[in-house]
Amino acid sequence: MDLSEFTITVLYIVGISAEGMTGALAAGRHKMDLFGVIFIALVTAIGGGSIRDVVLGHYPLTWVKHPEYVLLICFCALVATRIPKVVTRLEHLFLTLDAIGLVVFSILGAQVAMKLDYGFIIAVSAAVITGVFGGILRDILCMRIPLVFQKEIYAGVAIIAGAIYYISAIWLEIHILICTLVTLFIGVLMRLLAIKFQWSLPIFSYNEKG
Amino acid sequence: MDLSEFTITVLYIVGISAEGMTGALAAGRHKMDLFGVIFIALVTAIGGGSIRDVVLGHYPLTWVKHPEYVLLICFCALVATRIPKVVTRLEHLFLTLDAIGLVVFSILGAQVAMKLDYGFIIAVSAAVITGVFGGILRDILCMRIPLVFQKEIYAGVAIIAGAIYYISAIWLEIHILICTLVTLFIGVLMRLLAIKFQWSLPIFSYNEKG
Amino acid sequence: MDLSEFTITVLYIVGISAEGMTGALAAGRHKMDLFGVIFIALVTAIGGGSIRDVVLGHYPLTWVKHPEYVLLICFCALVATRIPKVVTRLEHLFLTLDAIGLVVFSILGAQVAMKLDYGFIIAVSAAVITGVFGGILRDILCMRIPLVFQKEIYAGVAIIAGAIYYISAIWLEIHILICTLVTLFIGVLMRLLAIKFQWSLPIFSYNEKG
């Protein structure tokens, strides 16, 4: 495992832990039992990567190869149920960890597509699927319109992160560690600025009667 | 590419374009941002085929092999957000294009199952999955009970199209171009008549208290 | 086919029939047409196993290999729509059949994971996915928060059944027929006791304003 792989793995573990904790809180808002909480934490944290792997036929799935990640997320979900107020009070920390997770997921998605020799569009698609599908599945299970369709450019960050990573690694042939760090820096910065300044995409609201 | 393949490909492109545009309008009714609109357009247009391929283990998925379809659907979704009233006014045109798309999707589903040497039931199942799952996913993402479960025989057209295609191609060994045209003609006609005369399946309404 | 395989197959058929009938009634509560009823019956009965197979890359899926199961479930769904009151009056019978189905699905899930040489955590995960995902998909399609996240330890039974089966078969190397019978006995008993005494997991209810 080289340095860029090590960095990505550490940040991936941070990312799934944070996603698991925030997923657990989302479940708590819908009065679910402990199984529901853990299930939604797992879906939030590893659902996006699972869908990417199934769509690209990339087996075994990450968590099937590394079942220890399943245990880690269960543990984080249980911790979150014990200290929900701490998690909420640390909102800024969790938003930052979530931003890191989003960009790391996007990089991993692009890497899988590149490993399978797919081109730019599929690499960016894989980045988006990995980055946002966990949150979409979480929201479907909690019966609400997925937040990523309505809030500050979340998916946009995944698209840009996937594009930067692909372009720098494949077209510019830059060293993979530098691609990773540059993508992380730009992606996380963009996401944090989007939250701070409430950047959002135009909303398309349409009602045929109106 | 022979004539029947060419016909199907052209109609498939027409079908995903129309599905992408109507998917985008469905998203607009729920006040989604541009990413949400594009995501739902994509899911509506290529979700059914993706689920069929995943279920049958038929890799790579159509859009992964042809990423240009992804771009086409994104483009159609964006166009629909600029001219929603035109799309609504052309309702009859879009219903016809949607009917063509439904039958073409069903034929393609049956073809994939036949290519993998599956029999009648799986061919019809693959036709239905390809034809209706895009709309089911769209409705789940928009938080409403899938329309295909409640409206004029939509899935019924997919079942009959899949059955006609399989029977004529495999059992009657008719030339594939004729199978395609006959299936298209009967399927589209049936769907348009179903809309015109509001044919529907019996509704099963059950309430244990009643 | 040896005795343990025969037992599991017979109980699997009983299980999918019962799940198909109760799935059909759930659809009836939401005023769906016959296609919707059949679709939801199918998803309830074979959705969990399908997701397990897709996640583990275990092809072909059970129902693709045995299309006769698809026909059986369609038939059971149609029967249920003719005699909904009988099904409701036989609630205790159906709860018992559902309990048997849950444990059989869990055993089959663990078996698939074991056949693919996965360890304890993935075997238990496969048991849970097989046991509960059909109900989760049914509830998503009917637009309600999945019951398995909120009611008497349903998923807990799948976890324990998967664990007992794996431990007895792999670690204790007990004859597979005995593993099957012991798992069935403990699992079904646990589920029926959970219903009778309304055992449930702690609910995690969280509201950041409260």
Side-chain angles (χ1 to χ4, degrees):
Chain A
M1 193 185 273
D2 61 17
L3 189 56
S4 87
E5 225 177 305
F6 177 77
T7 311
I8 285 287
T9 304
V10 168
L11 293 177
Y12 175 73
I13 290 170
V14 170
I16 56 175
S17 304
E19 300 279 336
M21 295 182 90
T22 53
L25 292 198
R29 274 176 220 114
H30 292 81
K31 297 196 178 47
M32 295 191 186
D33 70 15
L34 274 189
F35 173 74
V37 169
I38 287 175
F39 190 89
I40 290 191
L42 285 167
V43 161
T44 310
I46 54 181
S50 299
I51 296 214
R52 174 205 64 216
D53 284 343
V54 165
V55 159
L56 297 181
H58 179 249
Y59 289 100
L61 275 56
T62 310
W63 61 269
V64 173
K65 201 171 160 191
H66 295 286
E68 63 272 19
Y69 292 160
V70 174
L71 294 184
L72 171 68
I73 298 163
C74 293
F75 174 76
C76 291
L78 291 177
V79 167
T81 63
R82 308 312 302 172
I83 52 161
K85 282 182 188 169
V86 178
V87 177
T88 308
R89 218 174 306 133
L90 296 176
E91 198 194 350
H92 285 283
L93 172 63
F94 274 88
L95 282 174
T96 309
L97 296 180
D98 178 78
I100 293 171
L102 170 62
V103 180
V104 171
F105 288 5
S106 305
I107 292 175
L108 285 164
Q111 283 181 342
V112 168
M114 284 153 58
K115 198 178 84 181
L116 298 171
D117 274 333
Y118 289 116
F120 180 71
I121 299 174
I122 300 304
V124 171
S125 303
V128 174
I129 292 174
T130 316
V132 308
F133 239 114
I136 292 177
L137 292 176
R138 174 199 62 211
D139 291 342
I140 290 175
L141 289 170
C142 292
M143 291 294 122
R144 61 183 186 200
I145 298 241
L147 278 180
V148 300
F149 297 164
Q150 301 182 313
K151 76 176 180 183
E152 315 91 9
I153 46 164
Y154 197 88
V157 172
I159 293 172
I160 292 190
I164 293 175
Y165 189 80
Y166 185 90
I167 291 171
S168 59
I170 303 285
W171 292 348
L172 306 182
E173 294 179 33
I174 294 174
H175 188 285
I176 214 76
L177 178 59
I178 299 179
C179 301
T180 305
L181 294 177
V182 168
T183 309
L184 267 170
F185 180 76
I186 299 180
V188 172
L189 185 71
M190 187 178 153
R191 173 74 185 132
L192 294 181
L193 290 174
I195 295 170
K196 187 164 175 59
F197 297 107
Q198 305 200 326
W199 289 343
S200 60
L201 287 175
I203 296 290
F204 171 49
S205 174
Y206 176 60
N207 185 333
E208 50 262 61
K209 278 128 211 150
Chain B
M1 192 186 275
D2 63 16
L3 189 56
S4 86
E5 224 177 307
F6 178 76
T7 312
I8 285 286
T9 304
V10 169
L11 293 177
Y12 175 74
I13 289 170
V14 170
I16 56 174
S17 304
E19 300 280 335
M21 296 182 89
T22 53
L25 292 197
R29 274 176 220 114
H30 292 82
K31 299 198 180 43
M32 294 191 188
D33 70 15
L34 276 188
F35 173 74
V37 169
I38 287 175
F39 190 90
I40 289 190
L42 285 167
V43 160
T44 309
I46 53 180
S50 299
I51 295 214
R52 173 206 65 216
D53 284 343
V54 165
V55 159
L56 296 181
H58 178 248
Y59 289 99
L61 275 57
T62 311
W63 61 269
V64 174
K65 201 169 160 192
H66 295 285
E68 62 272 19
Y69 292 161
V70 174
L71 294 184
L72 171 68
I73 299 163
C74 293
F75 175 76
C76 291
L78 290 177
V79 168
T81 63
R82 309 310 302 172
I83 53 160
K85 283 183 186 166
V86 178
V87 177
T88 308
R89 217 174 306 132
L90 297 175
E91 198 194 351
H92 286 283
L93 172 63
F94 274 88
L95 281 174
T96 310
L97 296 180
D98 178 76
I100 293 171
L102 171 63
V103 180
V104 171
F105 288 4
S106 305
I107 291 175
L108 286 165
Q111 282 181 344
V112 168
M114 285 153 58
K115 199 178 82 180
L116 298 170
D117 276 332
Y118 288 116
F120 180 72
I121 298 173
I122 299 305
V124 171
S125 303
V128 174
I129 291 174
T130 317
V132 309
F133 238 113
I136 292 176
L137 293 176
R138 174 199 62 211
D139 290 342
I140 290 176
L141 288 171
C142 292
M143 290 295 120
R144 60 183 187 201
I145 298 242
L147 279 179
V148 300
F149 297 163
Q150 300 182 312
K151 76 177 182 184
E152 316 90 10
I153 45 163
Y154 197 89
V157 172
I159 294 171
I160 292 190
I164 292 175
Y165 189 80
Y166 185 92
I167 291 171
S168 58
I170 302 284
W171 291 349
L172 307 181
E173 294 179 32
I174 294 173
H175 188 285
I176 214 76
L177 178 59
I178 300 180
C179 300
T180 305
L181 294 176
V182 168
T183 308
L184 268 170
F185 180 76
I186 299 180
V188 173
L189 184 70
M190 186 177 153
R191 173 75 186 131
L192 294 180
L193 290 174
I195 295 170
K196 188 166 176 59
F197 297 107
Q198 305 200 326
W199 289 342
S200 59
L201 287 175
I203 296 289
F204 171 50
S205 175
Y206 176 62
N207 185 333
E208 50 262 61
K209 277 129 209 151
Chain C
M1 193 187 274
D2 62 18
L3 189 56
S4 87
E5 226 177 306
F6 178 77
T7 311
I8 285 286
T9 304
V10 169
L11 293 177
Y12 175 74
I13 290 170
V14 169
I16 56 174
S17 304
E19 299 280 335
M21 296 183 89
T22 53
L25 292 199
R29 271 175 222 118
H30 292 82
K31 297 196 179 45
M32 295 192 187
D33 70 15
L34 275 189
F35 173 74
V37 168
I38 287 175
F39 190 89
I40 289 190
L42 284 167
V43 160
T44 310
I46 54 181
S50 299
I51 296 215
R52 173 205 64 216
D53 284 344
V54 165
V55 159
L56 296 182
H58 178 247
Y59 290 100
L61 274 57
T62 311
W63 62 269
V64 174
K65 200 171 162 191
H66 296 285
E68 63 272 19
Y69 292 160
V70 174
L71 294 184
L72 172 68
I73 298 163
C74 292
F75 174 77
C76 291
L78 291 177
V79 168
T81 64
R82 309 310 304 170
I83 52 161
K85 281 183 187 166
V86 178
V87 176
T88 308
R89 215 175 308 132
L90 295 176
E91 198 194 350
H92 285 284
L93 173 61
F94 274 87
L95 280 174
T96 309
L97 295 180
D98 178 77
I100 293 172
L102 171 62
V103 180
V104 171
F105 289 5
S106 305
I107 291 175
L108 286 165
Q111 282 180 343
V112 168
M114 283 153 59
K115 198 176 83 179
L116 298 170
D117 276 332
Y118 289 116
F120 181 72
I121 298 174
I122 299 305
V124 171
S125 302
V128 174
I129 291 173
T130 317
V132 310
F133 239 114
I136 292 176
L137 292 176
R138 175 199 63 211
D139 291 342
I140 290 176
L141 288 170
C142 292
M143 290 296 121
R144 61 183 186 200
I145 297 242
L147 278 178
V148 300
F149 296 163
Q150 300 182 313
K151 75 178 182 184
E152 315 90 12
I153 45 163
Y154 197 88
V157 172
I159 294 172
I160 291 189
I164 292 175
Y165 189 80
Y166 185 90
I167 291 171
S168 58
I170 302 285
W171 291 348
L172 306 181
E173 294 179 31
I174 295 172
H175 188 285
I176 214 76
L177 178 59
I178 300 180
C179 301
T180 305
L181 294 176
V182 168
T183 309
L184 268 169
F185 179 77
I186 299 180
V188 173
L189 185 70
M190 187 177 152
R191 173 76 185 128
L192 294 179
L193 290 175
I195 295 170
K196 188 165 175 59
F197 298 106
Q198 306 199 326
W199 288 344
S200 59
L201 288 175
I203 298 288
F204 171 49
S205 173
Y206 176 61
N207 186 332
E208 50 262 61
K209 276 130 211 147

